[in-house]
């Protein structure tokens, strides 16, 4: 079912004590809020997953990982598998983030494998897509996003893709302080929903959550989220301070 979601991607930030403090602050603040059909997801670094899932058991947020390796186990030093995440009650996992595409050379095929591996273990993938600035300037942004979806996502069956969350994250907006305008976000989200409708069905396209990510903050969240095809946000920098993150949750 289509859900409103705010997910915080902490990236490689926070010491253990800082992480403990931030999770506790979010948990406490959410106690006083009615979330209804909204999901709040915290995606801390791997070493803090246990701390976060422990607190989540008594709280109103869910937990996501920032990465996964697409094998169940084996000789993959340093990697973390879907069964490990599943066994820790991690419910979401970000994949396809532009930082992983750029710094770790993750390509379409590898991301397709990650999607399959996560779905096999009942973890909801948050699949990121988005164009770099030169591609937008060259008016290739729709084509770029279409290719990312075609090559990594659209091999899934209907009942599989209905368990995926898509995050449109224009790369030029990530961590830059320059967000996409509400119109730019809506235009791309409607385009993505249209592609899902064409590939699968209109009904399914209306059930899938599509999040916006890229310099979303307490000030611009309300306007971005007010668009009919924007179902919430994937939040980087502004998820690192509880007041900022909770203001974004409240904007949903
Ligand atoms: C992100 O990295 O997913 C992100 C959206 O970052 P920021 O909010 O800092 O732009």
């Amino acid at each position: 079912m289509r859900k409103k979601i705010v997910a915080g991607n902490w990236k490689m930030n926070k010491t253990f004590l800082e992480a403990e403090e931030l999770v506790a602050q979010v948990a406490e603040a959410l106690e006083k809020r009615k979330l209804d059909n909204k999901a709040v997801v915290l995606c801390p670094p791997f070493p803090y997953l246990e701390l976060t899932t422990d607190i989540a058991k008594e709280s109103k947020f869910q937990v996501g990982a920032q990465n996964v390796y697409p094998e169940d186990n084996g000789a993959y030093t340093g990697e973390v598998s879907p069964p490990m995440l599943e066994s820790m009650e991690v419910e979401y996992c970000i994949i396809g983030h532009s930082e992983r595409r750029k710094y770790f050379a993750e390509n379409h095929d590898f991301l397709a494998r990650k999607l399959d591996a996560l779905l096999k273990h009942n973890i909801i993938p948050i699949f990121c897509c988005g164009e770099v600035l030169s591609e937008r300037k060259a008016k290739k942004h729709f084509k770029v996003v279409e290719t990312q979806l075609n090559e990594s996502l659209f091999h899934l069956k209907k009942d599989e893709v209905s368990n995926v969350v898509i995050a449109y994250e224009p790369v030029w907006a990530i961590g830059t302080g320059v967000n996409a305008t509400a119109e730019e976000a809506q235009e791309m989200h409607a385009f993505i929903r249209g592609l899902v409708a064409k590939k699968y069905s209109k009904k399914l396209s209306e059930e899938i959550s599509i999040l916006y990510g890229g310099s979303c903050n307490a000030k611009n969240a309300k306007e971005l989220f007010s668009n009919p095809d924007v179902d919430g946000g994937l939040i980087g920098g502004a998820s690192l301070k509880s007041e900022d993150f909770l203001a974004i949750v409240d904007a949903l």
Side-chain angles (χ1 to χ4, degrees):
M1 191 180 64
R2 186 152 157 195
K3 247 190 177 164
K4 300 264 181 202
I5 302 171
V6 169
N9 173 16
W10 294 7
K11 312 194 188 189
M12 197 177 70
N13 290 296
K14 303 283 178 195
T15 61
F16 183 79
L17 288 181
E18 289 165 351
E20 213 173 21
E21 191 183 8
L22 179 53
V23 180
Q25 286 168 346
V26 172
E28 193 189 332
L30 291 181
E31 271 319 298
K32 300 178 196 110
R33 285 161 166 85
K34 232 173 142 239
L35 293 179
D36 299 320
N37 183 36
K38 297 180 197 169
V40 176
V41 183
L42 299 186
C43 305
F46 284 136
Y48 312 144
L49 279 177
E50 187 182 359
L51 138 80
T52 312
T53 51
D54 272 354
I55 300 180
K57 281 179 197 139
E58 308 291 321
S59 184
K60 293 184 180 166
F61 67 88
Q62 278 131 2
V63 182
Q66 296 176 19
N67 188 27
V68 72
Y69 192 77
E71 291 291 339
D72 282 0
N73 50 51
Y76 302 100
T77 302
E79 294 299 320
V80 172
S81 73
M84 291 176 189
L85 297 179
E86 188 182 25
S87 70
M88 294 182 69
E89 298 178 38
V90 170
E91 293 180 61
Y92 291 80
C93 182
I94 300 169
I95 65 162
H97 193 283
S98 59
E99 287 150 17
R100 295 217 59 92
R101 292 179 192 259
K102 181 176 172 188
Y103 302 127
F104 302 94
E106 295 194 358
N107 62 23
H108 299 313
D109 289 347
F110 192 53
L111 296 177
R113 283 177 57 206
K114 288 190 181 203
L115 271 170
D116 295 342
L118 287 170
L119 290 169
K120 196 172 117 197
H121 290 280
N122 308 309
I123 298 167
I124 301 170
I126 302 178
F127 177 78
C128 303
C129 56
E131 79 286 356
V132 299
L133 188 57
S134 57
E135 290 163 340
R136 178 161 280 262
K137 282 191 172 154
K139 303 203 182 327
K140 289 186 183 148
H141 43 298
F142 293 115
K143 192 72 219 151
V144 168
V145 169
E146 184 170 3
T147 303
Q148 290 170 337
L149 296 176
N150 270 335
E151 298 294 319
S152 298
L153 187 73
F154 283 172
H155 67 286
L156 295 177
K157 295 195 205 84
K158 216 176 190 178
D159 62 327
E160 292 172 324
V161 88
S162 63
N163 292 316
V164 175
V165 171
I166 298 174
Y168 169 56
E169 297 210 310
V171 183
W172 47 271
I174 296 180
T176 59
V178 182
N179 59 287
T181 63
E183 294 73 31
E184 286 167 339
Q186 168 57 26
E187 185 182 38
M188 183 59 87
H189 284 228
F191 174 72
I192 293 170
R193 210 177 290 288
L195 292 176
V196 175
K198 204 153 79 182
K199 174 76 191 170
Y200 297 97
S201 71
K202 179 134 179 59
K203 183 169 177 291
L204 194 141
S205 78
E206 279 161 5
E207 285 169 1
I208 201 158
S209 299
I210 308 177
L211 313 184
Y212 168 77
S215 297
C216 183
N217 58 37
K219 285 204 183 109
N220 60 27
K222 196 145 199 89
E223 197 187 348
L224 285 161
F225 297 167
S226 66
N227 288 292
D229 288 298
V230 178
D231 301 309
L234 179 55
I235 317 298
S239 71
L240 296 173
K241 271 199 188 157
S242 59
E243 315 87 82
D244 294 348
F245 186 62
L246 290 158
I248 297 172
V249 171
D250 291 340
L252 200 57

